C-alpha cells in the first residue's frame, strides 16, 4: 500500500492545484460574507442568537433555568463571537462563516493525503461551489459547525490523532444531536485505515471524547430540577422521531430525491456525479491503494444510509438535513476516481469532462443559493429589511410605545434584546388585537411590523380591523418589511418619520 502524499506541492501541476483550491475557498468566503450582509437571521437562528446574548451578564449565565433544545456548545461559542463583535449581526453569523472555510480546509488536506493536490482541488471546488454550503454558511443555525467538528474528527481518526478525534467527535455531538451520525461513521473509518503497525488508540479516543462529554452532561444534570434535558426537548421537537409506516416510504423518497439533487445544484451536476461514482465503483484496475478505495465505498454507503434513515424516520423534509452529505461527496469522488494511466487520452478526457460537469452544475446554482431560492431552504430573503426597520423604530419611537408581535417573536427576542423603549405584545387574530387596543391607555402609540410575504392574510386582517374601527397607517417600508401604526382615531396619520426612504 502506498504512503500518504506529502502536503507540500511538488511540481507545477501540484502548485496550480494548490492555488486553485485556496482560491476557491476564498471565493466561497467572499460570496458567504456578501450574503451574510444582505439577509437577516432566520427564525431559529434568531432564537439561538438571543440565547447566546442571554449568556452574558444575565442572572442565569449557565442556563440552569433556560430551556435550550440543543446542546450548549454552539450557544457558548456564538456568545463569545457576539461579545467580541459587540452584538453585531455579522458576529452572530461569523461562527458558521468560519466553519465553512475550515471544513473546506479539512477536506482539502485530507484529499491531499489521500491522493495529492489535484484531488484536493476537485474537493475544494465541490465544497466551495455547493449550493447548500453557500446557502447555510451565512446563517445562525447549528448545522455548519456540527459538520466541521464531525468532518475534522473523521480526518484526525484517519491520521491516527486519536485524542483530537475523540474531542471533536464530542463537539459534533454536543453541537447538534444529529452529530450521533458521526459516532456511527467513525468506527468504519477506523476499520478501513487499520494496519498491523499502527494500532487504534481507543483509550486516547475515549479520553478526548470524555473531555467534552463529561462537563456537558454534568451541566445538563445540574439543570434537571428546573428544566428538561436538552435530549428530551430535542426529541420532542423532532416530531418526535419515529418509524414512518411502510406505505409512506415511497412518497417520502419521492420528496427527498429532488432535494438530494440539490447537493450538486443543476441536474447536469447530478448526472456527472452519478457517472463518476458508477465509474469509480466498477473500476477494478486501480488497486494501488485499497484503503483509499474502501474509504470511498464506506462513505458512499454512509451517504445512502443517511438518506434512507431520513426516508424511514419521521424527520421533516428539509434540505439542510442533507448538509452533512456534502463533505462525504467531496471525499468519495477523489477516493473512487479511476486512475489515469496517461494524462492525455480519451479516458482522461472523459474523466475531465465528468469532473467539470460536477463543478459546472454547482456553479449554475450559485446565484440561486445566494438569493435563498433553494427548495425548503432558508427563507431569510423574505425578511430583508427587518433589522433596519427595527433599528429605526427603536430610535424614533416615543416612550411606552407598543410593538405588536405576530410573526417575528424570535427575531424580536434577538433584535430587541435589552430594549426599554418598546413594549412587545402578541396577538392571535383581529378580535384579540381590537381587545388589546381598547385595554391600552388612550394615546399609546401602537406599531405593527409585518412582512410582505403575508399580504393575503394581512389583507383579511386589516379588513376586520377596519370593520372594528381600527385604522392602519403606513409609517415606513424597507425592502420586504412594512411598519404601520394602528389607532382607533380615523384621522390619525403616522408622523414617526419625517421622510420616507
Amino acid at each position: 500500500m502506498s504512503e500518504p502524499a506529502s502536503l507540500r506541492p511538488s511540481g507545477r501541476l501540484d502548485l496550480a492545484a494548490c492555488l486553485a483550491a485556496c482560491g476557491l475557498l476564498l471565493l466561497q468566503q467572499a460570496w458567504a460574507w456578501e450574503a451574510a450582509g444582505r439577509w437577516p437571521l432566520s427564525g431559529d437562528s434568531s432564537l439561538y442568537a438571543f440565547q447566546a446574548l442571554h449568556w452574558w451578564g444575565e442572572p442565569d449565565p449557565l442556563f440552569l433555568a433556560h430551556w435550550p433544545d440543543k446542546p450548549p456548545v454552539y450557544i457558548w461559542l456564538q456568545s463569545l463571537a457576539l461579545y467580541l463583535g459587540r452584538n453585531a449581526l455579522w458576529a452572530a453569523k461569523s461562527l458558521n462563516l468560519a466553519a465553512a472555510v475550515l471544513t473546506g480546509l479539512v477536506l482539502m488536506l485530507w484529499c491531499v493525503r489521500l491522493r495529492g493536490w489535484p484531488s484536493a482541488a476537485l474537493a475544494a471546488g465541490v465544497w466551495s461551489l455547493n449550493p447548500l454550503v453557500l446557502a447555510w454558511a451565512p446563517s445562525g443555525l447549528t448545522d455548519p459547525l456540527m459538520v466541521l467538528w464531525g468532518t475534522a474528527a473523521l480526518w484526525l481518526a484517519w491520521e491516527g490523532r486519536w485524542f483530537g478525534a475523540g474531542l471533536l467527535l464530542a463537539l459534533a455531538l454536543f453541537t447538534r444531536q444529529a452529530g450521533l451520525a458521526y459516532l456511527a461513521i467513525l468506527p468504519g473509518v477506523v476499520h478501513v485505515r487499520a494496519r498491523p503497525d499502527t494500532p487504534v488508540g481507543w483509550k486516547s479516543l475515549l479520553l478526548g471524547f470524555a473531555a467534552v462529554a463529561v462537563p456537558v452532561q454534568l451541566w445538563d444534570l445540574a439543570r434537571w430540577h428546573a428544566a428538561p434535558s436538552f435530549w428530551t426537548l430535542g426529541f420532542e421537537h423532532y416530531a418526535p422521531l419515529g418509524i414512518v409506516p411502510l406505505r409512506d416510504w415511497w412518497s417520502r423518497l419521492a420528496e427527498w430525491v429532488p432535494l438530494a439533487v440539490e447537493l450538486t445544484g443543476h441536474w447536469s451536476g447530478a448526472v456527472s456525479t452519478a457517472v463518476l461514482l458508477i465509474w469509480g465503483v466498477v473500476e477494478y484496475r486501480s488497486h494501488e491503494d485499497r484503503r483509499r478505495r474502501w474509504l470511498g465505498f464506506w462513505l458512499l454507503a454512509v451517504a445512502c444510509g443517511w438518506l434512507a434513515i431520513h426516508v424511514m424516520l419521521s424527520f421533516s423534509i428539509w434540505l439542510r438535513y442533507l448538509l452533512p452529505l456534502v463533505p462525504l461527496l467531496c471525499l468519495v469522488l477523489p477516493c473512487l476516481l479511476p486512475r489515469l494511466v496517461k494524462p492525455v487520452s480519451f479516458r482522461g478526457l472523459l474523466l475531465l469532462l465528468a469532473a467539470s460537469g460536477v463543478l459546472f452544475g454547482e456553479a449554475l446554482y450559485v446565484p440561486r443559493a445566494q438569493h435563498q431560492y433553494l427548495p425548503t431552504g432558508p427563507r431569510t430573503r423574505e425578511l430583508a429589511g427587518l433589522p433596519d426597520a427595527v433599528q429605526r423604530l427603536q430610535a424614533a419611537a416615543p416612550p411606552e410605545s407598543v410593538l405588536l408581535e405576530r410573526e417575528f417573536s424570535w427575531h424580536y427576542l434577538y433584535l430587541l434584546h435589552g430594549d426599554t423603549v418598546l413594549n412587545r405584545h402578541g396577538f392571535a387574530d383581529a378580535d384579540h388585537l381590537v381587545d388589546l387596543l381598547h385595554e391600552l391607555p388612550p394615546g399609546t402609540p401602537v406599531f405593527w411590523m409585518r412582512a410582505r410575504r403575508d399580504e393575503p392574510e394581512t389583507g383579511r386582517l386589516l379588513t376586520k380591523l377596519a370593520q372594528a374601527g381600527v385604522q392602519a397607517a403606513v409609517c415606513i417600508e424597507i425592502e420586504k418589511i412594512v411598519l404601520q401604526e394602528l389607532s382607533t382615531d380615523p384621522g390619525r396619520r403616522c408622523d414617526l418619520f419625517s421622510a420616507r426612504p
Side-chain angles (χ1 to χ4, degrees), residues 360-379:
F360 180 73
E362 290 189 336
L364 283 177
Y365 266 32
V366 168
R368 188 173 180 179
Q370 285 288 95
H371 290 86
Q372 310 285 282
Y373 283 113
L374 298 182
T376 72
R379 301 298 182 187

Side-chain angles (χ1 to χ4, degrees), residues 51-58 61 76 78-83 417:
Q51 292 173 339
L53 287 173
H54 185 276
W55 197 69
W56 291 98
E58 294 291 330
W76 288 338
Q78 191 181 47
S79 67
L80 178 61
L82 285 167
Y83 177 76
H417 179 73

Side-chain angles (χ1 to χ4, degrees), residues 382-383 407-408 448-455 458 480-482:
E382 299 176 356
L383 306 174
E407 53 188 332
F408 298 138
W448 177 27
M449 199 171 296
R450 60 181 178 83
R452 292 189 181 278
R453 65 184 180 189
D454 298 320
E455 290 289 357
T458 300
K480 303 290 185 179
I481 301 300
V482 178

Side-chain angles (χ1 to χ4, degrees), residues 179-216:
L180 281 167
Y182 292 102
L183 286 175
I185 300 173
L186 186 130
V189 174
V190 171
H191 177 73
V192 170
R193 76 165 297 280
R195 291 186 294 185
D197 58 333
T198 55
V200 178
W202 292 112
K203 183 178 180 180
S204 297
L205 184 70
L206 292 175
L207 285 175
F209 187 87
V212 173
V214 171
V216 173

